[in-house]
Amino acid sequence: MTPVEAGSISDFAAVLETRDGRFFCKGAVEANPMGWMHRNEARINPYLPAQMPRLQWQVEADGWLLLGFEYVEGRHPDLSPGSPDLPAVAATLGAMAVALTPCPISKVQAATVRWADWVTPEAVDGQTLVHTDVTPHNFLLHAGGMTVVDWSMPCRGAAWIDTALMVVRLIRAGHSPDQAEAWASQIPVWSTGRREAVDAFAAGVAALSRDRH
């Protein structure tokens, strides 16, 4: 079945088996907001660290935008307390922050704009390209390390933002706030955030979450 034949489908993601190997493909119709996100991800992909999946092809036809990425075989990390996956998550966040500072692309949304209604600009201002969607489903653990996928919503901001967002994920996974922050302290960029800035960001993210629910 092709996306056009599916009729009611306006976006999709799938692993494609081809003569040239496996690819991870995602697509959306032009009217779907996901279309903008896919286009944004395609534009940013060349600027990402080498270990991130590279965009192999981009097709626009019949009102659809399709992206094909290198396929990465892996599993999502376990974020629960005591998980052996947590050191790899910390190392990945630290390496990302270093590799993407300064922000390698000029035209990307600023964190000061992204969270303008919830966080004072000076709290999140910075020159790092941050992922912002650090759900464990966007991390793939494999024999070669860890790969971060789905760079459709990045912004330019403080280097500690992704770590702060992961702290929230850890709390949701069962860590106490103190445990989650203790884990974050092993990531060098975490110490670059002023306590009042991190607290303001946490309060803003909580307010945003409440507004959306």
Side-chain angles (χ1 to χ4, degrees), residues 1 15-16 20 27 35 38 41-42 49 54 56 59 64 69 79 95 99 101-102 106 116 124 127 154 157 198 213:
M1 177 183 290
V15 176
L16 300 183
D20 297 321
H38 291 349
E41 185 171 8
R54 313 321 295 182
Q56 301 297 298
V59 177
W64 280 82
F69 293 89
L79 300 184
T101 305
S106 57
V124 292
Q127 294 302 320
V198 175
H213 293 86

Side-chain angles (χ1 to χ4, degrees), residues 60-140:
E60 295 188 51
D62 297 325
W64 280 82
L65 168 64
L66 305 177
L67 304 180
F69 293 89
E70 291 176 328
Y71 176 74
V72 178
E73 183 74 50
R75 64 173 178 83
H76 304 306
D78 175 11
L79 300 184
S80 62
S83 167
D85 299 342
L86 293 174
V89 175
T92 299
L93 289 172
M96 277 171 42
V98 171
L100 295 172
T101 305
C103 182
I105 183 170
S106 57
K107 293 183 179 180
V108 63
Q109 186 183 45
T112 54
V113 175
R114 172 77 59 87
W115 289 289
D117 293 335
W118 297 277
V119 185
T120 56
E122 58 270 18
V124 292
D125 194 20
Q127 294 302 320
T128 299
L129 183 66
V130 291
H131 186 283
T132 79
D133 189 18
V134 292
T135 165
H137 294 292
N138 286 334
F139 287 65
L140 292 172

Side-chain angles (χ1 to χ4, degrees), residues 148-177:
V148 183
V149 300
D150 195 3
W151 289 80
S152 60
M153 299 191 302
C155 67
R156 184 185 69 255
W160 49 264
I161 287 176
D162 280 338
T163 300
L165 292 170
M166 185 59 76
V167 165
V168 176
R169 295 284 177 181
L170 292 182
I171 293 171
R172 291 177 180 174
H175 298 251
S176 71

